[in-house]
Amino acid sequence: MRHVVTGVLAVTVVVLSIAIIATPDKRLEASSETYQQLNLFGDVFAKIREDYVEEVDDAELIEAAINGMLSSLDPHSSYLNPKNYDGMKVQTRGKFGGLGIEVTMENGLVKVVSPIDDTPASKAGVEAGDYITHLDGEAVMGLTLSEAVERMRGLVDTDLALTIRREGQKEPVEIVITRAIITVQSVRGRLEDEDILYVRVSSFTEQTDKGLRKAVQKLKDEAGGDFKGIILDLRNNPGGLLDQAIAVSDAFLEKGEIVSTRGRDANDAQRYNAKIDDIAEGKPVIVLINGGSASASEIVAGALQDHGRAVILGTKSFGKGSVQTIVPLQGKGAMRMTTARYYTPSGSSIQAKGITPDIEVEQAKLEVLKPNARRTEADLRNHLENGNKGDAKTDPTAKAGDAPVENLDYQLLRAKDLLKGVWLFATKDAKKG
């Protein structure tokens, strides 16, 4: 490994030397400074190898230097050693081992972007926005994101203790999670109120677009082809593959720009446009987002919002508006490097800003009023019957609170009410026409 590194440095020096000869004065000065910095790196590397209190491994030193260089750029750029690179490729295919959380690094701590549905982390109560301060009692501060992720992975059926700082709670939260094989089914769906198609997309993997179309068609068949609209739930969706975000957006749009990406060079800008295709058949679409909706989720929400194709409901999204490119390196590793920002069709960057919903609805806990809290006409003695023949008579023994109370999703309830209202007015307008 030592010889390889030396060879690389030597080649770099030669290239820089040639550049110095051939460039104008300003570039000559900049190249000279770069040459000095490379010499400085070589001096530090050599000194550590010779005099550090313990013997160090050359490969580990170089890996740490590369990782430090990348992680200093932004929270999403990093070095992937061969093991992490293999893990990343498995994850994008939808199956991997671990806890089931999407994380980033913020202020030296691991921040949970969102837990993945039906994973050990989700079931244990990990929430979007949590800060992980300790892993098995050891402080996270000082670790890189890759190192922290590596420690969270492990053998299936082994436990990991997380110490979490959570907004609104003074004391740290202690959670023990049992590692498992994480198989992500990125798309799930069900009928709500018999005629509303509810589709939950938990991440953007290689199979998301196919899964979405399959789920929507299945729900259409269950509804007999007659449905009011679609609720697309992107809450706590940490993102994933850019091409899948584009495909999902395209599934609801018939024309226009979906997203554009712009790098350092203005000539490298790319624009992605929709093709004629709308799986919702022109019917209303409501998109649910929250603070755990990031990256690819924000691309979809932003595209549908800018085109007026969907109403965005919930709370402001995470605000990750950058594109990372995976660049394979020698030695079977890779680097994840931020190469562009992405922009919604209106030209707005959501980096560190997020998508603001059209209708802001905080998640809330619903409480059912006590039965018989108010009297109605039917409760009065000797009240008149309805008078409509064939109507079922009111059962005087039935009470409003007899049915078991479920944990109700307030944001979803608001989305359903909104969709019904939009559908109702659209139907009335069609009849007038």
Side-chain angles (χ1 to χ4, degrees):
M1 176 60 69
R2 180 164 62 248
H3 297 299
V4 172
V5 173
T6 304
V8 171
L9 289 175
V11 171
T12 304
V13 170
V14 171
V15 172
L16 285 174
S17 298
I18 294 172
I20 290 170
I21 295 172
T23 51
D25 290 343
K26 284 187 177 180
R27 294 188 62 184
L28 175 66
E29 185 178 338
S31 297
S32 178
E33 179 66 23
T34 303
Y35 177 79
Q36 292 176 15
Q37 294 299 320
L38 285 171
N39 271 343
L40 174 61
F41 174 80
D43 290 343
V44 172
F45 178 72
K47 197 65 177 174
I48 292 173
R49 293 180 67 241
E50 292 173 6
D51 297 334
Y52 185 67
V53 65
E54 295 178 354
E55 188 174 349
V56 292
D57 182 84
D58 289 356
E60 291 181 0
L61 277 179
I62 295 298
E63 181 176 321
I66 296 172
N67 204 22
M69 179 167 51
L70 286 165
S71 61
S72 68
L73 300 174
D74 63 75
H76 308 293
S77 295
S78 63
Y79 173 69
L80 301 170
N81 61 32
K83 184 176 181 181
N84 289 339
Y85 184 33
D86 289 341
M88 184 276 298
K89 288 187 287 187
V90 170
Q91 181 172 346
T92 58
R93 294 187 187 111
K95 186 175 182 180
F96 57 98
L99 306 179
I101 50 176
E102 181 76 14
V103 295
T104 186
M105 187 68 79
E106 187 173 297
N107 299 323
L109 300 177
V110 174
K111 182 179 182 180
V112 178
V113 175
S114 70
I116 300 171
D117 290 351
D118 297 326
T119 62
S122 175
K123 294 174 182 177
V126 176
E127 299 179 3
D130 283 347
Y131 287 91
I132 300 174
T133 62
H134 292 75
L135 298 170
D136 277 339
E138 295 185 15
V140 169
M141 188 72 73
L143 297 178
T144 65
L145 182 60
S146 295
E147 288 171 339
V149 169
E150 184 66 24
R151 295 193 182 190
M152 284 188 278
R153 291 173 178 165
L155 297 175
V156 174
D157 295 330
T158 59
D159 292 339
L160 179 67
L162 305 184
T163 303
I164 289 172
R165 283 287 182 180
R166 182 172 292 166
E167 186 178 356
Q169 297 193 22
K170 293 182 179 180
E171 297 298 321
V173 179
E174 302 288 344
I175 298 178
V176 177
I177 305 177
T178 302
R179 297 181 180 93
I181 293 294
I182 309 300
T183 303
V184 180
Q185 183 181 346
S186 66
V187 181
R188 291 183 176 85
R190 65 175 183 266
L191 280 182
E192 289 282 341
D193 299 344
E194 299 183 353
D195 54 7
I196 293 176
L197 279 54
Y198 169 83
V199 181
R200 161 77 179 150
V201 179
S202 59
S203 63
F204 288 85
T205 68
E206 292 178 357
Q207 303 302 317
T208 298
D209 179 46
K210 291 181 180 178
L212 171 70
R213 294 175 183 275
K214 183 177 180 181
V216 168
Q217 187 56 55
K218 180 181 177 182
L219 294 176
K220 284 180 180 178
D221 293 341
E222 289 180 15
D226 185 17
F227 64 100
K228 287 186 171 69
I230 296 179
I231 295 175
L232 180 63
D233 190 349
L234 299 179
R235 292 174 296 178
N236 293 329
N237 181 324
L241 300 175
L242 175 62
D243 65 330
Q244 292 297 302
I246 293 168
V248 169
S249 302
D250 194 5
F252 297 96
L253 296 172
E254 294 191 322
K255 62 180 180 179
E257 183 178 302
I258 293 172
V259 68
S260 63
T261 60
R262 307 175 202 170
R264 186 197 306 187
D265 188 345
N267 295 324
D268 290 337
Q270 289 185 296
R271 299 181 183 277
Y272 301 90
N273 297 306
K275 300 181 289 292
I276 298 176
D277 183 20
D278 180 6
I279 61 175
E281 300 174 6
K283 294 183 178 179
V285 178
I286 309 294
V287 178
L288 289 172
I289 62 170
N290 64 6
S293 306
S295 190
S297 302
E298 295 171 297
I299 290 177
V300 175
L304 299 187
Q305 183 182 54
D306 282 1
H307 283 288
R309 182 62 189 92
V311 175
I312 312 302
L313 185 148
T315 56
K316 184 181 288 188
S317 61
F318 185 77
K320 180 183 177 296
S322 60
V323 179
Q324 282 68 49
T325 300
I326 304 299
V327 183
L329 301 173
Q330 60 180 347
K332 298 184 179 180
M335 65 177 178
R336 179 193 288 115
M337 184 171 62
T338 300
T339 53
R341 291 181 176 88
Y342 62 74
Y343 295 79
T344 65
S346 63
S348 175
S349 169
I350 63 168
Q351 175 60 27
K353 179 183 174 184
I355 297 291
T356 300
D358 300 307
I359 301 176
E360 188 164 347
V361 178
E362 295 280 352
Q363 187 64 286
K365 181 179 180 181
L366 292 181
E367 186 174 332
V368 179
L369 295 176
K370 293 181 180 179
N372 299 330
R374 294 182 180 179
R375 292 171 63 82
T376 68
E377 173 71 17
D379 296 320
L380 299 179
R381 185 188 299 275
N382 296 325
H383 66 269
L384 293 176
E385 296 297 334
N386 181 269
N388 289 333
K389 295 181 179 181
D391 282 358
K393 293 184 178 180
T394 302
D395 181 359
T397 63
K399 296 181 180 180
D402 286 347
V405 178
E406 299 179 355
N407 291 325
L408 301 175
D409 185 338
Y410 180 62
Q411 291 173 325
L412 178 57
L413 289 176
R414 289 289 303 275
K416 290 196 295 183
D417 289 342
L418 176 61
L419 192 146
K420 290 174 183 177
V422 172
W423 176 85
L424 181 63
F425 275 96
T427 304
K428 286 183 177 180
D429 287 342
K431 289 180 179 178
K432 288 179 182 178

